[in-house]
């Protein structure tokens, strides 16, 4: 069996939805499990309407719900399904969802209390609506699709907004709910991004989490392949939004792709490769609009290519904290105390550099920042710099080849660089800059390592 995950743009309208059905139908012999995101923009719209309601602007909330969510799905139903009975049934089911959301928004406008738990529940409607439509559309194309609720498959902890799957329980549930359907020749269609905790309360795995759902389902069911279908030809040499002529990378090792995903390449959720790596399952990235383009294959080991650097990623919204203290000198418990504070605030640290009397750490921006800084101040003077970005240059051979760092920093000689780290695995070179320099830095490094042919 294989897992096929389609992102929001791959099902954004009736045409895209039909295209997705065609791609799935072409792979039915391989026993696919289909994992879907919400239609593009819907999760954002759900968050906006929940926030508007909680801020007391109920009319605006209901307007977003109607215009940007409900009507959008009705349009897709009408554009994708030809059978009128089926259309009717779906519109009825969608309007039941719409009613629930309408009441929820009304409640939020009264209580004003948008907890992470409620927000997860509101967001879950995006994937529940897209899969409802997709399963029917596949059935109409004679694929034996069965809508399967992710909340009966993926059990998570209760960290609303960024829940962690419990792999043991998730394995048992997937074996119970998904496996028999595959054996019966059916094609399960499951929501990405959402799961449920032990009490059955809806959780989400973090923004962009459908990739992670696909990898978890693939790993627990021992899939032969995990396919991530998106809107670009694969993992490219840089984000095409910054470097329009970025090129497709044919193959990447698990380690290379993990570094890229972790340091900002949005095409893969940062946790996606962990379950796939553990079970040695190849991950393919394909363009749903251009399946013939070839894609990127991510596997345990890859053969050397002519290019040492494979790709350049960046992550905005980074904060650097500099903690200095004379007590750090010769005090072997200092680092532990500092890391305990990050642990207490459930904040993960990306980069660390130290000097004799200070340590600099980079973290993603977090609402816990003020509290975190206050607790760190118990151990030394804390300086914080917000509005930073991490840039990461990745390639297995960086470890062996001399002169890569010199080329990077020579190229960027007039840009202030704040923290430099050659990752522990030595397959990346990572540093921090002011966010405003991101486009120039990424473009310059791309020119350096992937010069345009003929130039
Ligand atoms: P989906 O909705 O299919 O999950 P995403 O928007 O989450 O798609 O991810 C695809 C986007 O990732 C691309 O449109 C591209 O802008 C961005 N991206 C960032 N870095 C890279 C990269 N190195 N290679 C390919 N895409 C990248
Ligand atoms: N729909 C969710 C989001 O927008 C999950 C995903 O697309 O992977 O974050
Ligand atoms: Mg995504």
């Amino acid at each position: 069996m294989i897992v096929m995950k389609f992102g929001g743009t791959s099902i954004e309208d009736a045409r895209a939805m039909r295209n997705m059905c065609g791609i799935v139908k072409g792979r039915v012999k391989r026993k696919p499990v289909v994992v879907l995101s919400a239609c593009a923009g819907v999760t954002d719209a759900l968050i906006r309407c929940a926030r508007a309601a909680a801020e007391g602007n109920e009319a605006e909330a209901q307007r977003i719900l109607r215009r940007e969510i409900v009507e959008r799905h009705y349009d897709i139903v009408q554009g994708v399904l030809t059978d009128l009975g089926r259309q009717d049934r779906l519109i009825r089911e969608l309007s039941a969802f719409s009613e629930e959301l309408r009441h929820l928004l009304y409640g939020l406008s009264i209580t004003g209390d948008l907890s992470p738990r409620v927000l997860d529940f509101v967001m879950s409607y995006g994937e529940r609506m897209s899969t409802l439509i997709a399963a029917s559309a596949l059935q109409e194309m004679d694929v034996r699709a069965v809508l399967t609720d992710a909340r009966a498959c993926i059990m998570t902890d209760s960290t609303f907004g960024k829940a962690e799957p419990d792999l043991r329980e998730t394995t048992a549930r997937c074996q119970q709910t998904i496996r028999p359907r595959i054996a019966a020749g059916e094609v399960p269609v499951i929501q990405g991004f959402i799961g449920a905790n032990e009490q059955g309360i809806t959780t989400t795995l973090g923004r962009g989490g459908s990739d992670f759902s696909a990898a978890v389902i693939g790993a627990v069911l021992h899939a032969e392949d995990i396919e991530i279908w998106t809107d670009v030809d694969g993992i490219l040499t840089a984000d095409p939004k910054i470097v329009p002529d970025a090129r497709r990378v044919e193959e990447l090792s698990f380690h290379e792709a993990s570094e890229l995903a972790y340091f900002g390449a949005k095409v893969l959720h940062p946790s996606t490769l962990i379950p796939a790596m553990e079970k040695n399952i190849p991950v393919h990235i394909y363009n749903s609009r251009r399946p013939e383009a070839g894609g990127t294959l991510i596997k345990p080991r890859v053969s050397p290519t002519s290019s040492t650097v494979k790709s350049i990623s960046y992550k905005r919204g980074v904060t650097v904290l500099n903690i200095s203290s004379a007590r750090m000198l010769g005090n072997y418990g200092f680092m532990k105390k500092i890391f305990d504070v990050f642990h207490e605030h459930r904040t993960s640290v990306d980069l660390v550099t130290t000097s004799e009397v200070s340590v600099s750490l980079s973290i993603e921006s977090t609402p816990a920042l003020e509290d975190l800084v206050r607790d760190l101040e118990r151990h030394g003077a804390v300086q914080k710099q917000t509005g930073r970005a991490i840039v990461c240059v990745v390639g297995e051979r960086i470890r062996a080849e001399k002169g890569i760092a010199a080329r990077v920093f020579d190229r960027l000689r007039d840009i202030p660089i704040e923290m430099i780290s050659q990752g522990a695995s030595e397959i990346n070179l990572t540093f921090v800059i002011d966010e405003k320099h991101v486009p120039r830095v990424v473009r310059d490094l791309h020119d350096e390592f992937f010069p345009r042919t003929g130039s």
Side-chain angles (χ1 to χ4, degrees), residues 5-10 37 211 229-232 234-241 264-267 311-312:
K5 176 261 169 178
F6 291 83
T9 43
S10 302
S37 294
D211 302 328
W229 290 82
T230 183
D231 61 352
V232 281
I235 294 195
L236 308 180
T237 46
D239 182 357
K241 295 202 169 89
K266 190 187 164 215
V267 60
S311 182
I312 300 156

Side-chain angles (χ1 to χ4, degrees), residues 102-239:
R102 212 166 58 76
H103 287 117
L104 260 166
L105 293 176
Y106 174 66
L108 277 172
S109 74
I110 292 177
T111 61
D113 183 17
L114 181 57
S115 64
R117 171 177 162 174
V118 172
L119 185 61
D120 273 4
F121 187 61
V122 170
M123 287 194 288
S124 74
Y125 280 88
E127 271 69 12
R128 283 154 67 204
M129 292 199 241
S130 68
T131 46
L132 181 69
I133 302 174
S136 268
L138 281 162
Q139 287 158 6
E140 210 174 82
M141 284 176 74
D142 297 325
V143 174
R144 293 178 57 207
V146 276
L147 182 59
T148 308
D149 196 322
R151 293 168 297 180
C153 308
I154 305 231
M155 196 190 105
T156 71
D157 65 13
S158 300
T159 317
F160 296 102
K162 209 173 190 255
E164 273 292 322
D166 172 328
L167 285 186
R168 185 187 295 213
E169 186 57 30
T170 299
T171 305
R173 291 184 183 194
C174 287
Q175 292 291 1
Q176 215 168 48
T177 51
I178 305 177
R179 184 67 79 195
R181 293 185 167 158
I182 304 172
E186 295 173 337
V187 175
V189 176
I190 307 176
Q191 302 87 20
F193 182 52
I194 69 176
N197 69 6
E198 215 176 346
Q199 289 77 42
I201 296 162
T202 304
T203 55
T204 69
L205 310 184
R207 294 303 307 271
S210 299
D211 302 328
F212 188 29
S213 306
V216 167
I217 293 170
V220 302
L221 293 175
H222 300 277
E224 288 155 40
D225 287 286
I226 296 167
E227 299 183 347
I228 307 286
W229 290 82
T230 183
D231 61 352
V232 281
D233 285 352
I235 294 195
L236 308 180
T237 46
D239 182 357

Side-chain angles (χ1 to χ4, degrees), residues 10 20 62 91 113 118 211 278 345 404 421 426 449 452:
S10 302
M20 175 278 293
Q62 302 291 2
I91 299 277
D113 183 17
V118 172
D211 302 328
E278 266 169 21
H345 290 274
I404 298 291
S421 146
E426 293 181 41
F449 292 105
R452 261 160 277 184

